[in-house]
Amino acid sequence: MDRIRIVGGNPLNGLIPVSGAKNAALPLMIASLLTAETLTLENVPRLADVSQLMRILGNHGVDYRIEGKRIGDAPYAGQTIQFHAADIVDTTAPYELVSRLRASFWVIAPLLARMGEAKVSLPGGCAIGTRPVDLLLMVLEKLGAEIEIDSGYVLAKARRGLRGGEIDFAKVTVGGTHTALMAASLAHGSTLIKNAAREPEVVDLADCLVKMGAKIKGAGTSRIEIEGVGSLQGARHTVLPDRIEAGTYACAVAMTGGDVLLEGATEALLPVALDVLRQTGARIEETPKGLRVSRNGGAINPVDITTAPFPGFPTDLQAQFMALMTRAEGTSRITETIFENRFMHVQELARLGARIRLEGDAAIVEGRPVLKGAPVMATDLRASVSLVIAALAAEGETLVHRVYHLDRGFERLEEKLVACGADVERLREAG
Ligand code: UD1
């Protein structure tokens, strides 16, 4: 298994091109199941989760073609992929495939909407809490589906098609909102979603669906209205930049010091998180090319945060922010409200010398002047990258084991960091 070796202490200086957002690319790819025409997605990141979803879609009958480079493409440009679901040959998403990628459960919505039936394994994905699918199933039931759970599979049927309805989420859910958007777009009649997720990735999916002919109003607010249509057509859409990747590198610079342009990132994608980073002492400016993040010496100020749905502080940046706080001059409190058990990075950060105490859904981080490199283990996607950030600022060498978690969500992580002066190397190993 590959490992990543990091020798800490170098500030980061230079340019990091921000890739297309994994969390937008995945639902957009799934939306290709809604039409018999070609959906072309640009700026798709090269990630293990994207490849895994391509395998899952292929199993349903989706053909895909990756376009080659074009004149003028940046060397790091994302991929352009055409998805074509002319015929859906299989409405079953098997355990072997779905268990490796939680978001693939969302195929249930387009399969049901287009084919009137779907059989999808209950999901797996990151080990961060129980992550139920009750709200996603509620969506499908509100739109007229009959749902049964049998031997680890959800069987959903709507023989005469889905019909519009009112969906009122008891809890804000990104996946639930994606599911509702896709299902309602092909339902008979109108649907109202209340307490919808407002994440930029939801807006990106809605924008693409509108290009495909869907009638959607209000995406980006907590109230979305959808008027179902009989069929959807092909479209071309560019995946929005990855705000979590951008925020991760911003945390890294805030910790190591230096000056980095996060090409393609915008302030609007990370409203609260950037303000928090400013409070820690980082300087962040929006430029026409992206966000410029710098910190030149000076203390890292401790700041308390609480994760919340967009536009609040993203849970997907909680671990990275905790890494930064381990070097703050003082104590900070980090409260996680979205996922239980999302503190698995705590014990690994402690191996680098961090002082963190858990109190229910909060972590109390006592900042220390120095961290020291050590062998650590990646546990989930965001936790792994928090270890990388801490290692970049630690004295000496850190070896991060189980880096396949990183490959699920961070494109060319080592290359991007090395280009900014970090001492990072992937040690490839067979087996
Ligand atoms: C998505 C993101 C993930 C991010 C999360 C929250 C993708 C591929 N993943 O995950 O990176 O951390 O949003 O921003 O986009 N819940 C239920 N029942 C359900 C569904 C969700 O109780 O049926 C709960 C979850 O356990 C969690 C909360 O709702 O406590 C929010 O989860 P949700 O927004 O649905 O997360 P995902 O869409 O799975």
Side-chain angles (χ1 to χ4, degrees):
M1 263 185 273
D2 289 2
R3 289 166 301 160
I4 290 183
R5 180 179 156 276
I6 300 166
V7 181
N10 297 356
L12 296 170
N13 284 292
L15 181 143
I16 297 183
V18 175
S19 297
K22 169 180 89 73
N23 286 356
L26 300 179
L28 288 165
M29 289 165 66
I30 289 173
S32 70
L33 288 167
L34 287 166
T35 174
E37 296 182 13
T38 303
L39 175 65
T40 304
L41 297 177
E42 295 174 354
N43 200 31
V44 179
R46 291 173 178 80
L47 296 172
D49 275 8
V50 165
S51 312
Q52 177 64 12
L53 183 57
M54 280 162 78
R55 275 193 282 280
I56 292 167
L57 295 176
N59 190 54
H60 295 301
V62 179
D63 286 330
Y64 40 80
R65 194 171 78 81
I66 303 178
E67 289 182 4
K69 270 195 179 175
R70 297 288 181 269
I71 293 171
D73 274 357
Y76 283 145
Q79 316 170 85
T80 299
I81 311 182
Q82 296 177 1
F83 296 88
H84 192 192
D87 295 300
I88 292 183
V89 296
D90 194 342
T91 53
T92 299
Y95 173 76
E96 302 73 58
L97 295 176
V98 179
S99 57
R100 292 210 226 143
L101 176 61
R102 187 186 151 82
S104 60
F105 183 80
W106 303 339
V107 298
I108 197 165
L111 290 176
L112 186 60
R114 193 165 147 201
M115 305 300 289
E117 60 168 39
K119 180 178 173 188
V120 180
S121 166
L122 287 163
C126 277
I128 47 170
T130 45
R131 302 190 81 172
V133 292
D134 55 326
L135 297 173
L136 280 66
L137 300 184
M138 177 276 284
V139 164
L140 302 176
E141 277 177 334
K142 290 278 181 197
L143 299 181
E146 285 165 32
I147 306 280
E148 249 182 81
I149 297 188
D150 186 27
S151 314
Y153 278 80
V154 177
L155 312 174
K157 281 187 190 144
R159 291 281 180 233
R160 280 189 262 133
L162 293 171
R163 49 181 158 70
E166 187 173 310
I167 297 162
D168 192 353
F169 285 114
K171 193 172 193 182
V172 176
T173 153
V174 174
T177 308
H178 287 323
T179 307
L181 281 173
M182 288 191 270
S185 289
L186 281 186
H188 304 288
S190 50
T191 296
L192 173 64
I193 311 177
K194 291 183 182 169
N195 201 23
R198 291 180 281 164
E199 269 67 3
E201 293 76 21
V202 167
V203 179
D204 210 34
L205 174 65
D207 286 349
C208 178
L209 291 172
V210 167
K211 288 181 194 163
M212 293 165 74
K215 294 188 176 155
I216 301 173
K217 278 192 208 147
T221 73
S222 51
R223 189 184 161 94
I224 305 180
E225 290 170 56
I226 304 147
E227 191 59 46
V229 295
S231 65
L232 292 171
Q233 71 222 17
R236 195 173 180 96
H237 184 79
T238 304
V239 178
L240 94 171
D242 196 320
R243 64 194 167 100
I244 302 303
E245 189 195 21
T248 298
Y249 290 122
C251 287
V253 179
M255 194 164 183
T256 61
D259 189 340
V260 170
L261 179 69
L262 299 171
E263 194 180 37
T266 61
E267 178 105 32
L269 288 173
L270 283 162
V272 170
L274 294 182
D275 283 341
V276 167
L277 287 178
R278 286 188 179 105
Q279 289 170 45
T280 69
R283 214 180 122 95
I284 302 174
E285 276 172 83
E286 186 161 40
T287 78
K289 286 196 165 168
L291 290 174
R292 187 170 163 199
V293 183
S294 58
R295 192 175 73 81
N296 291 316
I300 299 172
N301 306 315
V303 181
D304 295 344
I305 60 141
T306 299
T307 61
F310 192 85
F313 192 98
T315 175
D316 286 350
L317 280 179
Q318 180 255 105
Q320 299 88 316
F321 185 72
M322 192 183 295
L324 172 62
M325 288 296 96
T326 63
R327 284 281 307 277
E329 220 167 64
T331 302
S332 57
R333 184 181 183 92
I334 296 181
T335 309
E336 172 60 58
T337 68
I338 311 288
F339 293 112
E340 61 204 83
N341 291 349
R342 206 176 203 183
F343 282 133
M344 282 166 311
H345 40 287
V346 166
Q347 61 188 29
E348 297 301 303
L349 287 171
R351 296 176 59 78
L352 300 173
R355 282 217 186 130
I356 307 167
R357 189 174 81 246
L358 291 180
E359 273 180 15
D361 63 357
I364 319 299
V365 188
E366 208 184 297
R368 309 257 291 153
V370 195
L371 296 180
K372 286 206 172 135
V376 290
M377 194 168 284
T379 48
D380 72 45
L381 174 53
R382 312 300 176 186
S384 335
V385 86
S386 76
L387 300 173
V388 172
I389 293 176
L392 288 171
E395 274 178 5
E397 181 182 291
T398 296
L399 267 186
V400 184
H401 296 261
R402 299 205 181 157
V403 297
Y404 54 82
H405 288 293
L406 283 171
D407 297 333
R408 288 188 43 216
F410 288 90
E411 189 178 59
R412 292 187 315 272
L413 175 94
E414 316 90 89
E415 269 177 64
K416 290 185 183 186
L417 289 171
V418 166
C420 289
D423 187 345
V424 179
E425 179 189 14
R426 180 177 289 244
L427 309 174
R428 291 191 189 277
E429 266 175 41

